[in-house]
Amino acid sequence: MRFVVDVNLSPEWAQLLTEQGHSAVHWRNVGAVDALDDDILIWAAEDDRTVFTADLDFGAAVATRGLKAPSVVQLRLDNTDPLVVGTSVLQSIAAAGEALVGGAILTIEPGQTRLRPGLGTIAIDG
């Protein structure tokens, strides 16, 4: 999968995702750190990347606007350190698999992961 990691998360996420065979860039390496969420959404859609973030605004924008791209992985965790939660986050992404395309929203919370592919919500663990 291809990801753009939002500025509210450590660049270590891009490194971890890349080490696991994904294509990942941190937003600060491709755009202004004070860019609007819409600018990031547009760039991600044009570059066929999933937004990886701890900001719930991205998921809300995709859901309320009915966007078909980009997909969003949103972390709703107290601790977003990849050294602490990286393994479980990667497992959730792997479990979502190809369903994580076309405007899907993967929400990762303590003890629960939900995938919202266009229509409805699917619990994939927890």
Side-chain angles (χ1 to χ4, degrees), residues 2 4 27 30-31 35-51 57-58 61-62 65 67-72:
R2 295 169 50 85
V4 58
W27 178 254
V30 294
L36 299 174
D37 290 351
D38 281 349
D39 294 337
I40 298 170
L41 282 172
I42 291 166
W43 184 88
E46 289 174 351
D47 204 48
D48 193 30
R49 293 192 182 266
T50 295
V51 176
D57 292 343
F58 286 100
V62 169
R65 297 177 190 170
L67 300 177
K68 296 191 185 287
S71 290
V72 176

Short mmCIF file of all heavy atoms in Angstrom, two decimals, residues 2 4 27 30-31 35-51 57-58 61-62 65 67-72:
data_model
loop_
_atom_site.label_atom_id
_atom_site.label_comp_id
_atom_site.label_asym_id
_atom_site.label_seq_id
_atom_site.Cartn_x
_atom_site.Cartn_y
_atom_site.Cartn_z
N ARG A 2 0.27 2.33 -0.37
CA ARG A 2 0.98 3.61 -0.42
C ARG A 2 0.36 4.55 0.62
O ARG A 2 -0.85 4.71 0.65
CB ARG A 2 0.86 4.20 -1.82
CG ARG A 2 1.55 3.34 -2.87
CD ARG A 2 1.21 3.76 -4.28
NE ARG A 2 1.37 5.17 -4.55
CZ ARG A 2 2.51 5.77 -4.89
NH1 ARG A 2 3.61 5.08 -5.02
NH2 ARG A 2 2.54 7.07 -5.13
N VAL A 4 0.69 8.37 2.99
CA VAL A 4 1.28 9.64 3.37
C VAL A 4 0.98 9.79 4.85
O VAL A 4 -0.17 9.71 5.28
CB VAL A 4 0.76 10.84 2.54
CG1 VAL A 4 -0.74 11.01 2.62
CG2 VAL A 4 1.50 12.12 2.96
N TRP A 27 4.41 13.69 5.40
CA TRP A 27 3.94 14.90 4.73
C TRP A 27 4.98 16.00 4.73
O TRP A 27 5.13 16.73 3.75
CB TRP A 27 2.62 15.40 5.33
CG TRP A 27 2.19 16.67 4.67
CD1 TRP A 27 2.25 17.93 5.18
CD2 TRP A 27 1.67 16.81 3.34
NE1 TRP A 27 1.79 18.86 4.26
CE2 TRP A 27 1.43 18.19 3.11
CE3 TRP A 27 1.40 15.92 2.32
CZ2 TRP A 27 0.93 18.67 1.92
CZ3 TRP A 27 0.88 16.40 1.12
CH2 TRP A 27 0.65 17.77 0.93
N VAL A 30 6.94 16.30 1.64
CA VAL A 30 6.31 16.57 0.34
C VAL A 30 5.48 17.85 0.31
O VAL A 30 5.10 18.31 -0.76
CB VAL A 30 5.43 15.39 -0.12
CG1 VAL A 30 6.28 14.18 -0.42
CG2 VAL A 30 4.35 15.07 0.88
N GLY A 31 5.18 18.41 1.49
CA GLY A 31 4.34 19.60 1.53
C GLY A 31 4.59 20.43 2.76
O GLY A 31 5.37 20.06 3.64
N ALA A 35 -0.05 22.91 5.94
CA ALA A 35 -1.02 22.73 4.85
C ALA A 35 -2.40 22.40 5.42
O ALA A 35 -2.53 21.79 6.48
CB ALA A 35 -0.56 21.60 3.94
N LEU A 36 -3.41 22.80 4.69
CA LEU A 36 -4.78 22.47 5.07
C LEU A 36 -5.04 20.98 4.85
O LEU A 36 -4.44 20.36 3.96
CB LEU A 36 -5.76 23.28 4.22
CG LEU A 36 -5.68 24.80 4.34
CD1 LEU A 36 -6.63 25.45 3.35
CD2 LEU A 36 -6.01 25.23 5.76
N ASP A 37 -5.94 20.43 5.65
CA ASP A 37 -6.30 19.02 5.48
C ASP A 37 -6.76 18.74 4.05
O ASP A 37 -6.42 17.70 3.48
CB ASP A 37 -7.41 18.62 6.46
CG ASP A 37 -6.93 18.58 7.91
OD1 ASP A 37 -5.71 18.69 8.14
OD2 ASP A 37 -7.78 18.42 8.79
N ASP A 38 -7.52 19.65 3.47
CA ASP A 38 -7.98 19.46 2.09
C ASP A 38 -6.83 19.35 1.11
O ASP A 38 -6.90 18.58 0.15
CB ASP A 38 -8.92 20.60 1.67
CG ASP A 38 -10.33 20.42 2.21
OD1 ASP A 38 -10.65 19.34 2.75
OD2 ASP A 38 -11.12 21.38 2.10
N ASP A 39 -5.76 20.11 1.33
CA ASP A 39 -4.59 20.03 0.45
C ASP A 39 -3.96 18.65 0.53
O ASP A 39 -3.54 18.08 -0.48
CB ASP A 39 -3.57 21.10 0.80
CG ASP A 39 -4.06 22.51 0.54
OD1 ASP A 39 -4.97 22.68 -0.28
OD2 ASP A 39 -3.54 23.45 1.19
N ILE A 40 -3.89 18.11 1.74
CA ILE A 40 -3.30 16.79 1.94
C ILE A 40 -4.21 15.73 1.31
O ILE A 40 -3.73 14.81 0.65
CB ILE A 40 -3.05 16.52 3.44
CG1 ILE A 40 -2.03 17.54 3.98
CG2 ILE A 40 -2.58 15.08 3.66
CD1 ILE A 40 -1.87 17.53 5.48
N LEU A 41 -5.51 15.86 1.49
CA LEU A 41 -6.46 14.91 0.90
C LEU A 41 -6.34 14.91 -0.63
O LEU A 41 -6.30 13.84 -1.25
CB LEU A 41 -7.89 15.26 1.29
CG LEU A 41 -8.35 14.86 2.68
CD1 LEU A 41 -9.71 15.45 2.99
CD2 LEU A 41 -8.37 13.35 2.84
N ILE A 42 -6.27 16.08 -1.22
CA ILE A 42 -6.16 16.18 -2.67
C ILE A 42 -4.86 15.55 -3.15
O ILE A 42 -4.84 14.75 -4.09
CB ILE A 42 -6.26 17.66 -3.13
CG1 ILE A 42 -7.68 18.17 -2.90
CG2 ILE A 42 -5.84 17.82 -4.60
CD1 ILE A 42 -7.82 19.68 -3.00
N TRP A 43 -3.75 15.88 -2.48
CA TRP A 43 -2.45 15.32 -2.88
C TRP A 43 -2.47 13.80 -2.75
O TRP A 43 -2.01 13.09 -3.65
CB TRP A 43 -1.32 15.93 -2.04
CG TRP A 43 0.02 15.46 -2.50
CD1 TRP A 43 0.80 16.02 -3.46
CD2 TRP A 43 0.74 14.32 -2.02
NE1 TRP A 43 1.96 15.30 -3.61
CE2 TRP A 43 1.94 14.25 -2.74
CE3 TRP A 43 0.48 13.35 -1.06
CZ2 TRP A 43 2.88 13.25 -2.52
CZ3 TRP A 43 1.41 12.34 -0.85
CH2 TRP A 43 2.60 12.29 -1.58
N ALA A 44 -3.00 13.30 -1.63
CA ALA A 44 -3.04 11.85 -1.41
C ALA A 44 -3.87 11.16 -2.48
O ALA A 44 -3.48 10.11 -3.00
CB ALA A 44 -3.59 11.55 -0.02
N ALA A 45 -5.02 11.73 -2.82
CA ALA A 45 -5.87 11.14 -3.86
C ALA A 45 -5.15 11.13 -5.21
O ALA A 45 -5.17 10.13 -5.92
CB ALA A 45 -7.18 11.90 -3.95
N GLU A 46 -4.50 12.24 -5.54
CA GLU A 46 -3.81 12.33 -6.83
C GLU A 46 -2.61 11.39 -6.90
O GLU A 46 -2.28 10.90 -7.97
CB GLU A 46 -3.35 13.77 -7.08
CG GLU A 46 -4.50 14.70 -7.38
CD GLU A 46 -4.08 16.16 -7.48
OE1 GLU A 46 -2.92 16.50 -7.15
OE2 GLU A 46 -4.92 16.98 -7.89
N ASP A 47 -1.95 11.13 -5.75
CA ASP A 47 -0.77 10.26 -5.73
C ASP A 47 -1.13 8.84 -5.30
O ASP A 47 -0.25 8.04 -5.04
CB ASP A 47 0.30 10.85 -4.80
CG ASP A 47 1.69 10.38 -5.15
OD1 ASP A 47 2.06 10.42 -6.34
OD2 ASP A 47 2.42 9.94 -4.23
N ASP A 48 -2.41 8.54 -5.23
CA ASP A 48 -2.90 7.21 -4.86
C ASP A 48 -2.31 6.73 -3.53
O ASP A 48 -1.79 5.63 -3.43
CB ASP A 48 -2.59 6.20 -5.99
CG ASP A 48 -3.33 4.90 -5.82
OD1 ASP A 48 -4.44 4.91 -5.24
OD2 ASP A 48 -2.79 3.85 -6.23
N ARG A 49 -2.43 7.59 -2.52
CA ARG A 49 -1.92 7.25 -1.19
C ARG A 49 -3.04 7.29 -0.17
O ARG A 49 -3.99 8.05 -0.29
CB ARG A 49 -0.83 8.22 -0.78
CG ARG A 49 0.42 8.06 -1.63
CD ARG A 49 1.60 8.80 -1.05
NE ARG A 49 2.76 8.67 -1.90
CZ ARG A 49 3.69 7.74 -1.75
NH1 ARG A 49 3.62 6.88 -0.77
NH2 ARG A 49 4.72 7.69 -2.57
N THR A 50 -2.91 6.48 0.84
CA THR A 50 -3.81 6.46 1.98
C THR A 50 -3.25 7.42 3.02
O THR A 50 -2.04 7.40 3.31
CB THR A 50 -3.90 5.04 2.57
OG1 THR A 50 -4.52 4.19 1.60
CG2 THR A 50 -4.69 5.01 3.86
N VAL A 51 -4.10 8.26 3.60
CA VAL A 51 -3.67 9.18 4.65
C VAL A 51 -3.58 8.40 5.96
O VAL A 51 -4.53 7.72 6.36
CB VAL A 51 -4.65 10.36 4.81
CG1 VAL A 51 -4.24 11.25 5.97
CG2 VAL A 51 -4.73 11.16 3.52
N ASP A 57 -10.29 14.53 11.62
CA ASP A 57 -10.89 15.36 10.57
C ASP A 57 -10.80 14.72 9.19
O ASP A 57 -11.68 14.90 8.36
CB ASP A 57 -10.24 16.74 10.53
CG ASP A 57 -10.55 17.58 11.76
OD1 ASP A 57 -11.51 17.24 12.49
OD2 ASP A 57 -9.83 18.56 12.00
N PHE A 58 -9.74 13.96 8.93
CA PHE A 58 -9.58 13.34 7.61
C PHE A 58 -10.67 12.30 7.37
O PHE A 58 -11.30 12.28 6.32
CB PHE A 58 -8.20 12.69 7.46
CG PHE A 58 -7.09 13.68 7.30
CD1 PHE A 58 -6.30 14.03 8.37
CD2 PHE A 58 -6.84 14.26 6.07
CE1 PHE A 58 -5.27 14.95 8.23
CE2 PHE A 58 -5.81 15.18 5.90
CZ PHE A 58 -5.02 15.52 6.99
N ALA A 61 -13.97 13.97 6.82
CA ALA A 61 -14.08 14.59 5.49
C ALA A 61 -14.39 13.54 4.43
O ALA A 61 -15.26 13.75 3.58
CB ALA A 61 -12.79 15.33 5.14
N VAL A 62 -13.73 12.41 4.49
CA VAL A 62 -13.98 11.34 3.52
C VAL A 62 -15.41 10.83 3.67
O VAL A 62 -16.13 10.65 2.69
CB VAL A 62 -12.95 10.20 3.68
CG1 VAL A 62 -13.36 8.98 2.88
CG2 VAL A 62 -11.57 10.68 3.24
N ARG A 65 -18.24 13.66 2.87
CA ARG A 65 -18.25 14.07 1.46
C ARG A 65 -18.45 12.90 0.51
O ARG A 65 -18.56 13.08 -0.69
CB ARG A 65 -16.94 14.78 1.12
CG ARG A 65 -16.75 16.07 1.89
CD ARG A 65 -15.43 16.68 1.58
NE ARG A 65 -15.13 17.78 2.47
CZ ARG A 65 -13.95 18.37 2.54
NH1 ARG A 65 -12.97 17.98 1.75
NH2 ARG A 65 -13.74 19.36 3.38
N LEU A 67 -16.25 10.70 -0.39
CA LEU A 67 -15.11 10.62 -1.31
C LEU A 67 -14.74 9.17 -1.60
O LEU A 67 -14.81 8.32 -0.72
CB LEU A 67 -13.90 11.35 -0.71
CG LEU A 67 -14.08 12.84 -0.40
CD1 LEU A 67 -12.82 13.40 0.24
CD2 LEU A 67 -14.42 13.61 -1.66
N LYS A 68 -14.34 8.91 -2.82
CA LYS A 68 -13.87 7.58 -3.19
C LYS A 68 -12.37 7.46 -3.00
O LYS A 68 -11.82 6.37 -3.08
CB LYS A 68 -14.25 7.28 -4.64
CG LYS A 68 -15.76 7.23 -4.84
CD LYS A 68 -16.10 6.68 -6.19
CE LYS A 68 -17.58 6.72 -6.45
NZ LYS A 68 -18.36 5.79 -5.73
N ALA A 69 -11.70 8.55 -2.75
CA ALA A 69 -10.26 8.56 -2.49
C ALA A 69 -9.93 9.87 -1.79
O ALA A 69 -10.61 10.86 -2.01
CB ALA A 69 -9.48 8.45 -3.80
N PRO A 70 -8.97 9.87 -0.94
CA PRO A 70 -8.14 8.75 -0.52
C PRO A 70 -8.78 7.99 0.63
O PRO A 70 -9.74 8.45 1.24
CB PRO A 70 -6.86 9.44 -0.05
CG PRO A 70 -7.36 10.72 0.57
CD PRO A 70 -8.53 11.13 -0.31
N SER A 71 -8.22 6.83 0.91
CA SER A 71 -8.59 6.11 2.12
C SER A 71 -7.84 6.75 3.29
O SER A 71 -6.88 7.50 3.09
CB SER A 71 -8.24 4.64 2.00
OG SER A 71 -9.09 4.01 1.06
N VAL A 72 -8.29 6.44 4.50
CA VAL A 72 -7.69 7.01 5.70
C VAL A 72 -7.49 5.92 6.74
O VAL A 72 -8.40 5.13 6.99
CB VAL A 72 -8.59 8.13 6.30
CG1 VAL A 72 -8.01 8.65 7.61
CG2 VAL A 72 -8.78 9.26 5.31
#
